Amino acid sequence: MTDLDDIKYRILSVIRRNLELTIENDELMNAGNLNDLFGMDSIAILELLVGLEKEFNIIFPPSYLTPQTFKNIGTITECISSLIANEK
Amino acid sequence: MSDMDFRNIINPRDIAAFFYLVPLRMMATVVSPKVIQSLSRPFVHLYCTLPSNKKRRDHIREMLGSVFSAAKTDKDIRRLTVECYRNSIYTLVDDIVLNKISRNTLMKAGEIEGIENLEEALSHGKGALLVGGHFTGDRLGKRLLREIGFPILSVRTKSPVMPSTSLIAERCIIPAISGIWDSALKENIYIEDSGFSLDILKKLRGNGIVSILIDTTDVQKGFFFPFLGKKRLFPANFLQIAHLTGAAVLPSLFIGNSTSFKVVIEKKIGLQQFEDKETFLSANLGSLVKIFEAHVIKNPTQWLVL
């Protein structure tokens, strides 16, 4: 499993755990917009964010706190891998 | 066909709004705030007694009747009704002169009680949520706090379009009045905008202050509580934000007008902790609703009665 795959897998775990979803991983992975898939409301996005920060031991800087960052698994993965790379 | 298909192009109330938005606002650019406030007094009184505003007066009278029940006579309730309605219209006059009032004048007119509570809350570095209601001194109080180094991000809702709203009101008047409030409050976000919760998070993580008004009529997620003798729906999402961020929650009250107003910031409330999220939200929101109700009962003519 590549580093990116590992990150994606952990993101999916956080989404399913913190947002209490039973959606299949494939569906989450392929969704162009998570909000369209399961209606990520204003609080869900914060619960996801806090969950991701704990999971990856990161803090999203203010510039990353936009709806675009959390649009889909791809955008979240890109953001987190960038933050992890910056910390190394 | 729905009610919305038969809306008027213009309503009588729109004429008063036009007077407010055009001549009065133009005058406010060249005439001092005190003169504007004096000139508007007879018009405010006239507006409040117009037959077309009977529904609004009845709504206010019903609220005051709940607050005072047998403690006041009908005559007193009618007098307080007019006072309450007048106070709410004066806030609109204050809005168009708010940015023209000098810092010195504002400091003389305003009084702050409990600023040490806000300072203590902010000393923990996780920001603060000021929780209150739509009272007369809201925008004045926020301007004063901004002037003394406490800028506030206001969480707002967009004005709903009702069947009674005319087309001119929807397309011109409401956006114009909303623009005046945007200008008065400086930092605003709307719950209808995507990502608004992220803006709140940014503010709190910068150890900033966010204002939440819990008597909003647009509730995304909430709970019913008894309020002035009836059950009313109150929003709960802001408590979840407090839980996730560690931000302090402080009850607040802003009352008065530009000649004299008061800001009260109470001590932060200790949030009761529960494993179940719904119980956490309901229990803590209930405490805040009781505080808000006490504020309304103590200052009934200063509440904008939503």
Side-chain angles (χ1 to χ4, degrees):
Chain A
M1 194 186 269
T2 66
D3 284 346
L4 276 181
D5 288 335
D6 176 61
I7 290 172
K8 280 179 190 168
Y9 180 75
R10 289 164 71 186
I11 290 168
L12 289 168
S13 299
V14 170
I15 288 175
R16 291 157 70 85
R17 187 174 62 239
N18 283 44
L19 303 187
E20 295 173 358
L21 296 175
T22 54
I23 300 174
E24 294 294 328
N25 279 352
D26 282 345
E27 228 182 319
L28 287 167
M29 284 290 298
N30 295 329
N33 191 321
L34 293 174
N35 186 39
D36 290 343
L37 180 64
F38 60 80
M40 193 156 60
D41 68 17
S42 57
I43 295 303
I45 204 170
L46 292 188
E47 287 179 333
L48 173 59
L49 180 153
V50 168
L52 291 170
E53 288 182 337
K54 278 191 183 142
E55 174 69 22
F56 293 96
N57 197 25
I58 54 171
I59 299 285
F60 286 94
S63 57
Y64 281 55
L65 295 181
T66 69
Q68 180 59 27
T69 298
F70 304 95
K71 188 176 175 187
N72 55 49
I73 302 298
T75 56
I76 300 172
T77 304
E78 194 180 321
C79 170
I80 290 176
S81 61
S82 159
L83 288 173
I84 292 172
N86 285 344
E87 283 196 357
K88 282 186 182 163
Chain B
M1 284 215 163
S2 69
D3 286 342
M4 301 298 280
D5 297 320
F6 295 106
R7 283 159 53 206
N8 292 335
I9 294 173
I10 187 166
N11 287 334
R13 197 175 301 148
D14 299 337
I15 298 167
F18 174 80
F19 176 78
Y20 170 75
L21 286 170
V22 181
L24 192 62
R25 241 171 116 195
M26 282 172 68
M27 278 175 65
T29 60
V30 293
V31 170
S32 78
K34 269 195 175 164
V35 172
I36 292 291
Q37 282 143 8
S38 300
L39 284 175
S40 62
R41 252 179 258 287
F43 294 101
V44 168
H45 185 77
L46 179 65
Y47 180 81
C48 291
T49 51
L50 285 175
S52 53
N53 291 324
K54 183 179 181 302
K55 200 173 168 185
R56 177 76 182 143
R57 286 197 302 275
D58 289 345
H59 181 62
I60 295 172
R61 189 183 308 123
E62 194 190 335
M63 182 278 290
L64 289 169
S66 300
V67 170
F68 292 110
S69 60
K72 297 259 183 219
T73 63
D74 280 348
K75 190 179 170 188
D76 284 335
I77 297 286
R78 278 198 298 276
R79 180 181 53 79
L80 288 169
T81 299
V82 172
E83 184 183 332
C84 183
Y85 198 179
R86 234 179 13 225
N87 287 341
S88 69
I89 303 301
Y90 278 136
T91 64
L92 297 177
V93 177
D94 278 343
D95 285 339
I96 56 171
V97 299
L98 186 60
N99 292 325
K100 282 198 72 185
I101 299 174
S102 72
R103 188 175 189 273
N104 280 345
T105 305
L106 200 68
M107 301 283 285
K108 281 184 195 160
E111 178 193 339
I112 302 179
E113 185 184 303
I115 197 68
E116 67 280 3
N117 296 325
L118 182 57
E119 287 167 339
E120 196 283 329
L122 293 174
S123 69
H124 298 276
K126 295 189 177 179
L129 290 163
L130 290 186
V131 180
H134 288 80
F135 285 94
T136 47
D138 185 66
R139 293 183 274 281
L140 277 164
K142 283 170 181 169
R143 166 133 188 240
L144 178 60
L145 285 170
R146 192 170 70 237
E147 288 289 342
I148 63 170
F150 297 100
I152 296 176
L153 175 68
S154 294
V155 180
R156 296 169 55 193
T157 59
K158 293 183 177 167
S159 297
V161 176
M162 314 293 285
S164 59
T165 304
S166 71
L167 290 170
I168 280 192
E170 181 191 352
R171 290 175 196 176
C172 303
I173 294 171
I174 291 173
I177 291 180
S178 210
I180 292 173
W181 292 341
D182 285 346
S183 166
L185 291 168
K186 300 294 186 209
E187 285 183 72
N188 308 279
I189 48 169
Y190 291 88
I191 66 168
E192 293 86 355
D193 294 336
S194 71
F196 82 91
S197 59
L198 294 170
D199 289 330
I200 293 176
L201 182 70
K202 264 188 256 187
K203 186 73 172 176
L204 293 173
R205 283 190 170 178
N207 201 28
I209 308 165
V210 177
S211 159
I212 304 285
L213 302 182
I214 63 170
D215 55 350
T216 177
T217 51
D218 188 348
V219 179
Q220 289 183 340
K221 177 188 170 61
F223 296 86
F224 281 94
F225 290 97
F227 178 74
L228 299 182
K230 289 182 180 176
K231 278 198 180 291
R232 182 179 172 130
L233 185 64
F234 287 90
N237 275 345
F238 71 93
L239 278 169
Q240 187 65 357
I241 293 175
H243 178 66
L244 288 169
T245 60
V249 177
L250 296 90
S252 62
L253 174 67
F254 298 73
I255 54 174
N257 59 47
S258 51
T259 52
S260 171
F261 65 96
K262 187 170 180 178
V263 172
V264 178
I265 301 174
E266 299 186 13
K267 282 190 179 154
K268 71 181 179 194
I269 63 163
L271 295 175
Q272 301 173 69
Q273 298 301 326
F274 296 92
E275 260 196 50
D276 176 59
K277 185 166 84 173
E278 298 293 297
T279 309
F280 167 82
L281 294 176
S282 170
N284 288 299
L285 183 57
S287 307
L288 284 163
V289 168
K290 283 194 181 127
I291 294 171
F292 170 60
E293 188 181 47
H295 286 169
V296 172
I297 289 170
K298 201 173 168 194
N299 309 278
T301 60
Q302 301 291 329
W303 186 42
L304 299 180
V305 196
L306 298 191

